[in-house]
Amino acid sequence: HWLARCASESKLMNQWPICVIPNPIDTDRWHPVCPKFAKAKLGLPESQTVIAFGGFGCMTDPNKGFDLLLSAINRMARLAKRPLLVVFAEKQTDQVPKFDCPVYYLGTIEDDTKLQLLYSAADVLAVPSRQDAFNQIAAEAQSCGTPVVAFNNTGPADIVEHGTTGYLAKAFDTDDFAKGLHWLLDMLEPQRAKHRHQARTRAISLFSYSIIASRYLDLYMRVREQSRHQTKSSF
């Protein structure tokens, strides 16, 4: 919907009809795995709460918000038991600022199975993006039952339902982002299981192949019907 607003405000497209259809994901492929099993397969400590963060360029692209995550986690770490931050798709470098929590660099992930394990092992996926058209990993993580903390702006605001499948912080407010992380990590297991289920259920209802295919079909049928009416009225 953020992209739709941008299009509606542009000088070129502000008179064009706009329809919003999300990117589809394979919700059968991206499904939950037992967190205990996933942590064991990845070599992560079973008792440690895990924040996952990553993607190509996640530490170098300003839009990915690495600096915002650093600030949020360092604030949150003073409020609760220190979590483990798992960074994926990036290698460890000496130039990265230090987090006030242990950090594990998973490196490049070359297969979906390993990424599915990471989503399932994580208690929360952090998406501190300044600007994102959609954010595929947030949708995939939710399909695996993993709550997401993101800012309430641009693409991720469509993926996360605040308070139900994750937490939408005020845009670029690292205190509020830290609050969201703390809220999800400090949950008791029954609450955690409930939010995992809600994330999975909503992902299927919004992003599964069958749902997105039906929305395209509906759009094509509407366009075809409008075209027929326009053709008839021209005679």
Side-chain angles (χ1 to χ4, degrees), residues 53-75:
F53 166 71
F56 295 111
C58 66
M59 289 182 165
T60 55
D61 182 352
N63 279 327
K64 298 297 183 183
F66 172 73
D67 58 319
L68 300 174
L69 178 65
L70 174 64
S71 175
I73 287 184
N74 287 348
R75 292 170 186 271

Side-chain angles (χ1 to χ4, degrees), residues 36-152:
K36 182 178 179 180
F37 173 81
K39 285 182 177 180
K41 293 291 287 185
L42 295 173
L44 302 176
E46 179 185 338
S47 61
Q48 187 88 49
T49 54
V50 173
I51 300 172
F53 166 71
F56 295 111
C58 66
M59 289 182 165
T60 55
D61 182 352
N63 279 327
K64 298 297 183 183
F66 172 73
D67 58 319
L68 300 174
L69 178 65
L70 174 64
S71 175
I73 287 184
N74 287 348
R75 292 170 186 271
M76 188 209 64
R78 291 189 282 270
L79 300 176
K81 179 181 176 182
R82 294 198 306 166
L84 172 66
L85 175 65
V86 178
V87 178
F88 62 97
E90 286 284 355
K91 295 181 179 179
Q92 182 175 6
T93 68
D94 295 333
Q95 299 177 351
V96 175
K98 288 187 177 182
F99 283 90
D100 191 14
C101 71
V103 182
Y104 180 74
Y105 290 87
L106 204 56
T108 302
I109 296 180
E110 297 179 350
D111 63 271
D112 289 347
T113 299
K114 190 173 183 180
L115 187 53
Q116 179 192 23
L117 288 172
L118 175 58
Y119 290 148
S120 299
D123 296 283
V124 59
L125 176 74
V127 181
S129 303
R130 285 183 167 86
Q131 183 170 288
D132 238 325
F134 181 64
N135 199 287
Q136 191 82 358
I137 66 170
E140 292 169 354
Q142 297 228 313
S143 187
C144 290
T146 305
V148 174
V149 175
F151 289 117
N152 190 16

Side-chain angles (χ1 to χ4, degrees), residues 151-168:
F151 289 117
N152 190 16
N153 70 309
T154 69
D158 283 337
I159 299 173
V160 180
E161 184 176 2
H162 182 68
T164 301
T165 70
Y167 190 95
L168 289 174

